[in-house]
Amino acid sequence: MSVLTADQIQSTYARAMKQQSEKAYEAALHTYGRILKTNPNVAEVHFQIGRILCDTDKASRAILHLRKATTLRPKERAVWMALADAIALGGTVEAEKEFLKALKDAPIDPATRVQLQDRFGARRRRSRPETGGMNRAQMQSLVDLIEAKRPVEAEKLASQMLRQFPKSAIAHNILAAAQALQGNRMGAEASFRAALRLDPNYSEAWEHLGGLLLSMERKPEAMECFRKAVSLCPGSISAVLTLASLQIDAGNAESVLPLLERLSAENETSPEIYSVLGSALSRLRKYEPAELVAGRLVEMMGDAVDAPALAFWAITKTKIGDDDKALEIFDAALRKDPDSPRAVSGKAQLLQTLGRFDEARDLFLHAFDIDPNNGENYRMFSASYKAKPGDPMIERMAQKFEDPTLSDNDRMNLGFGVSKLLEDAKDYDRVFKYLNVANGLMHKINPYDMAKRYHDVAALKEAYAAFDWKAADIPGTTDFAPIFVTGMPRSGTTLIEQIISSHSRVEGAGEVGEAAAAAHSLVMLRGKVRPIGSLKDEEFVALGTDFEKYIRERFPTAPQITDKSIQSYMALGLLKVAMPKAKFVVVRRDPRDNLLSIYKNKFPDETHAYAYDQLDLVKVYGTFVDMVDFWREHVPDWFYEVQYEDLIANPEEETRKLIAACGLEWEDACLSFHENKRKVQTLSVYQVRQPISKASVALWQRYEKDLKPMLDALREGGYVTD
């Protein structure tokens, strides 16, 4: 990219500001980035980038830019205020200390310095709103009426006070609360906003307005209010926990993790904080710290511990593989409350992964009775339940699907569940009625950025192509020899792992993901790929040895393990250089059946967002083919390819070839993989416990009309020829 002239910097900045004002944030960040490539010391650019990142729930990233802006423009009050917002919304305890230290010597007016110091000190938990002249007794009389749930009297008294003290933000806030309690939402909103016009730094009013907007189902506006409340009072437990819960539900747990960790450090004995922190960690798949937090939560609740807290601890235990303890804790939860939805469904799902389908079924049926609108229970139940024509469970779920009281999320889950049972019963004509609705809802909730996928794959291929893989010989690499099973989701990777892990020398570790994620982090930094040749030998070595340590801690007695992390194909070369004795198995399947199978299933949140649109499916499949073709061109002998249809047609012959490719001696148990009792946590939890069947081969032909967009795109891409 060419260097910008001074005039071009000015016009580029104006264009970025326009994009920012139109909330085209990604475009604005890109445009601002062009300026920084020419001149990294433009304070206004760092300031605006910081503002955008704060407004888009990336406050921890904003801190770096706003710190830079304070060094470039140390006298600018607005820059320090913005940095304070970023610290409040996404800073660690250390970041807060560093900010306060820098603030002491900041060349800004003393009033601003005191205001910012108080935000992280005397006013971190509660603001000091404008009283308008009201005395403490008058304010307390209003508060007492609200706390006593006497809103009519509170409204009358607040109105009287406002005639006497028209600039009292507190009186407006109490008036709003009284109006809200009486169902006058429009009046309450107007009163809250009047309070905030008088005192824009009134954290509690922002929080209360946010709660009102939530009750009016205006979630985006509510989120802005809670974000503002937390930025003003970063120690407010209620504001932080509400914001955190909203962000976790929206899939943004990463953005609030620093807030929750900071809050838990300040309030080490608060069960409520630990509960939300545990949810955030679990949502981020940080299961080991989540289990520690859940255990701490149970400990601090003592004799008052309830079934939901115990159930959450049990769920985290299952995630770290401590299933026996998890079952023990689930049973303790159910003794406290046999009708605890979280304990009943949690134990059902664990029994399902262990192959104890009959026990799981009975618990799921109980879950339907005690939590009838929970769509996830129906979907999970359907994974291990085989419906027959006329099965009453189909119509029960179909009727529930039409229930107008269902949330979109519950209807989505039910849609996937009932479509699966309809296919079981060979009622093919009705399947897509539910499947298209379910996928449409998921696509709406989780839109996929195809441009980013194309960019990442192209950048990786370019970086990989510049490296001499065959000549790579890194001293000090580990002899650890995991077997990576990779491919598209629903291509048969779980079946392949089940076969390999039936060997006496191999333990199936499931979708570990650590190695693939570490490799990705090694080469991708904020969307940019590091030149592979710039990696140091010790970085390759650490990639392998760190993964070995991770696995040894979890599977200390296993001679070998399988890692069924499907994204491993993206970093195949890196992982092979780091672990020269590792084996790689790439699973291929007819894309028509493969993509249909993806479209029929809901994946864990924040994963495979492309799965819910037929055209996105084909595009992502194309990038998978491109990546595998790349490795075949450069290192064809570094991996073994399995064609799913060949395995189904000739199971013994193909299984023997597979086991040999893994460097293992033949064992007959590999043909009896369905008798393997290991825990399975993927969508194939039921299928892998059945003998090989041809039932899912060419299943796409049942749905040619419904799959026309996908089938046409596959033909146009040259991925199928008939």
Side-chain angles (χ1 to χ4, degrees):
M1 185 178 295
S2 58
V3 174
L4 300 176
T5 65
D7 288 343
Q8 288 173 327
I9 287 177
Q10 188 173 357
S11 62
T12 302
Y13 182 79
R15 183 166 69 254
M17 287 288 289
K18 184 174 186 297
Q19 292 167 332
Q20 184 175 348
S21 68
E22 295 170 349
K23 296 189 176 182
Y25 293 131
E26 287 299 323
L29 288 173
H30 177 74
T31 307
Y32 284 130
R34 289 192 61 203
I35 298 173
L36 293 183
K37 286 180 180 178
T38 293
N39 183 355
N41 293 318
V42 182
E44 292 86 347
V45 171
H46 286 288
F47 174 68
Q48 298 300 346
I49 289 175
R51 289 181 60 206
I52 290 174
L53 292 173
C54 275
D55 289 343
T56 54
D57 303 314
K58 301 179 183 68
S60 59
R61 286 176 52 194
I63 293 171
L64 295 175
H65 288 280
L66 292 169
R67 277 179 182 159
K68 181 71 173 179
T70 62
T71 62
L72 294 169
R73 292 287 179 85
K75 296 181 180 180
E76 290 287 343
R77 178 180 186 275
V79 173
W80 285 97
M81 297 294 289
L83 177 56
D85 287 346
I87 297 290
L89 288 167
T92 61
V93 172
E94 291 72 23
E96 186 176 313
K97 290 178 179 177
E98 185 177 336
F99 171 75
L100 290 172
K101 182 179 178 181
L103 191 62
K104 289 181 180 179
D105 299 322
I108 54 177
D109 64 281
T112 298
R113 183 183 298 109
V114 171
Q115 180 184 352
L116 294 181
Q117 287 172 338
D118 283 352
R119 183 186 300 196
F120 297 100
R123 300 188 187 183
R124 71 178 301 109
R125 295 192 178 189
R126 178 180 292 275
S127 59
R128 295 176 187 168
E130 292 293 334
T131 66
M134 291 177 65
N135 62 39
R136 185 180 296 276
Q138 291 168 323
M139 291 185 285
Q140 190 61 50
S141 64
L142 287 172
V143 172
D144 289 345
L145 289 172
I146 289 295
E147 291 181 345
K149 297 292 189 291
R150 294 159 60 184
V152 175
E153 297 170 67
E155 181 178 13
K156 182 178 178 180
L157 182 58
S159 298
Q160 293 173 357
M161 292 289 184
L162 283 169
R163 285 193 289 273
Q164 186 178 355
F165 306 105
K167 294 185 179 181
S168 172
I170 289 179
H172 278 290
N173 184 52
I174 296 292
L175 174 62
Q179 292 168 324
L181 284 171
Q182 297 175 79
N184 180 6
R185 292 176 173 177
M186 291 182 63
E189 181 178 356
S191 297
F192 279 133
R193 295 194 184 280
L196 291 167
R197 281 194 296 274
L198 289 168
D199 186 354
N201 296 321
Y202 193 174
S203 174
E204 290 80 9
W206 283 110
E207 181 181 351
H208 297 157
L209 175 58
L212 177 70
L213 294 172
L214 271 184
S215 72
M216 299 166 72
E217 298 186 358
R218 291 159 62 182
K219 188 174 286 189
E221 294 172 81
M223 191 87 81
E224 289 182 16
C225 290
F226 285 108
R227 193 184 293 115
K228 184 68 175 176
V230 172
S231 73
L232 292 167
C233 284
S236 169
I237 294 176
S238 57
V240 170
L241 293 185
T242 305
L243 176 64
S245 296
L246 289 171
Q247 294 286 30
I248 292 167
D249 289 343
N252 298 326
E254 190 76 49
S255 69
V256 293
L257 191 56
L259 283 176
L260 293 168
E261 290 175 336
R262 189 173 67 200
L263 202 63
S264 67
E266 297 169 12
N267 306 270
E268 294 182 352
T269 59
S270 169
E272 190 177 11
I273 295 171
Y274 273 74
S275 178
V276 180
L277 174 59
S279 295
L281 291 166
S282 185
R283 189 67 176 264
L284 293 167
R285 296 178 181 82
K286 299 178 182 289
Y287 295 126
E288 290 184 341
E291 189 275 330
L292 292 174
V293 167
R296 176 75 179 106
L297 172 63
V298 169
E299 179 186 351
M300 69 175 64
M301 293 179 75
D303 293 339
V305 68
D306 56 18
L310 285 167
F312 177 59
W313 190 23
I315 290 168
T316 62
K317 285 287 187 185
T318 69
K319 297 300 185 182
I320 64 172
D322 194 353
D323 297 330
D324 290 340
K325 185 64 176 179
L327 286 171
E328 180 184 319
I329 299 171
F330 274 130
D331 288 339
L334 292 170
R335 283 193 296 273
K336 281 190 170 287
D337 182 3
D339 294 332
S340 166
R342 197 172 200 179
V344 172
S345 64
K347 184 176 179 182
Q349 291 183 35
L350 173 56
L351 291 171
Q352 189 180 56
T353 66
L354 297 173
R356 295 162 61 176
F357 298 133
D358 291 342
E359 296 170 80
R361 179 197 61 211
D362 293 342
L363 281 171
F364 276 124
L365 292 175
H366 184 44
F368 298 163
D369 293 333
I370 60 177
D371 195 10
N373 280 9
N374 188 321
E376 183 180 11
N377 284 336
Y378 292 98
R379 179 178 62 82
M380 296 301 297
F381 164 80
S382 70
S384 58
Y385 181 80
K386 193 72 172 177
K388 297 179 180 178
D391 193 319
M393 185 54 68
I394 296 176
E395 294 313 315
R396 177 177 179 176
M397 290 172 63
Q399 288 178 15
K400 176 55 68 175
F401 180 85
E402 303 296 340
D403 187 336
T405 66
L406 285 180
S407 68
D408 282 353
N409 186 65
D410 288 315
R411 180 167 286 105
M412 172 271 297
N413 276 292
L414 261 162
F416 282 115
V418 72
S419 64
K420 189 269 181 184
L421 297 192
L422 286 167
E423 185 171 280
D424 287 345
K426 297 182 171 54
D427 194 350
Y428 301 116
D429 291 341
R430 295 174 63 194
V431 169
F432 270 72
K433 171 187 174 181
Y434 300 95
L435 200 53
N436 281 336
V437 172
N439 277 285
L441 289 170
M442 279 302 295
H443 186 62
K444 177 183 176 182
I445 296 167
N446 297 293
Y448 186 66
D449 188 348
M450 196 64 226
K452 183 177 184 303
R453 171 69 176 182
Y454 281 141
H455 171 270
D456 288 351
V457 172
L460 282 171
K461 285 172 61 179
E462 182 179 357
Y464 288 161
F467 188 71
D468 189 348
W469 296 100
K470 284 290 190 178
D473 184 13
I474 309 297
T477 53
T478 178
D479 288 336
F480 185 51
I483 301 169
F484 291 96
V485 180
T486 182
M488 289 289 288
R490 308 297 298 162
S491 62
T493 52
T494 302
L495 171 61
I496 296 300
E497 184 185 39
Q498 186 81 341
I499 290 171
I500 300 170
S501 65
S502 297
H503 195 283
S504 62
R505 283 189 50 81
V506 182
E507 185 161 350
E511 295 189 25
V512 181
E514 289 294 316
H520 182 79
S521 299
L522 195 60
V523 297
M524 293 288 286
L525 184 63
R526 295 176 188 166
K528 297 179 181 178
V529 179
R530 291 176 64 189
I532 307 303
S534 72
L535 297 182
K536 300 176 182 177
D537 286 358
E538 51 264 35
E539 290 180 287
F540 280 108
V541 171
L543 177 60
T545 56
D546 288 351
F547 183 57
E548 179 180 12
K549 180 181 177 183
Y550 179 88
I551 293 298
R552 294 298 186 206
E553 289 175 351
R554 288 152 184 78
F555 304 93
T557 63
Q560 280 186 274
I561 59 99
T562 54
D563 179 354
K564 197 196 78 70
S565 303
I566 59 173
Q567 290 295 327
S568 299
Y569 71 85
M570 293 290 291
L572 190 152
L574 285 173
L575 295 172
K576 182 67 173 176
V577 171
M579 293 171 278
K581 293 188 177 181
K583 301 290 185 181
F584 293 84
V585 178
V586 177
V587 186
R588 306 292 293 267
R589 185 180 181 185
D590 184 318
R592 293 164 295 193
D593 281 331
N594 194 169
L595 302 190
L596 166 62
S597 187
I598 295 174
Y599 192 71
K600 290 192 303 181
N601 287 279
K602 178 193 177 294
F603 293 85
D605 293 333
E606 289 90 57
T607 65
H608 308 299
Y610 59 86
Y612 312 108
D613 178 87
Q614 291 192 29
L615 297 182
D616 281 350
L617 275 167
V618 177
K619 293 171 184 174
V620 170
Y621 178 77
T623 63
F624 161 72
V625 172
D626 286 348
M627 204 71 239
V628 174
D629 286 347
F630 174 88
W631 294 121
R632 189 185 299 107
E633 177 186 352
H634 290 83
V635 286
D637 56 341
W638 281 14
F639 61 100
Y640 177 74
E641 292 186 76
V642 175
Q643 187 66 39
Y644 177 81
E645 289 77 14
D646 292 345
L647 177 65
I648 299 301
N650 302 292
E652 181 168 355
E653 177 184 350
E654 294 300 321
T655 299
R656 285 182 177 275
K657 287 158 55 176
L658 168 65
I659 296 302
C662 293
L664 299 167
E665 296 292 330
W666 173 253
E667 291 182 358
D668 289 340
C670 297
L671 286 176
S672 303
F673 63 87
H674 53 286
E675 297 174 4
N676 188 335
K677 300 301 182 184
R678 77 181 183 94
K679 183 178 180 180
V680 177
Q681 301 187 80
T682 72
L683 295 169
S684 302
V685 61
Y686 181 78
Q687 292 96 317
V688 298
R689 301 192 191 278
Q690 315 304 316
I692 279 179
S693 167
K694 297 181 181 180
S696 60
V697 175
L699 186 62
W700 65 270
Q701 294 175 348
R702 300 279 187 183
Y703 305 110
E704 283 195 72
K705 180 179 178 181
D706 299 298
L707 292 173
K708 188 176 187 304
M710 184 186 84
L711 296 174
D712 287 348
L714 283 170
R715 293 186 186 101
E716 290 171 9
Y719 305 118
V720 297
T721 56
D722 58 327

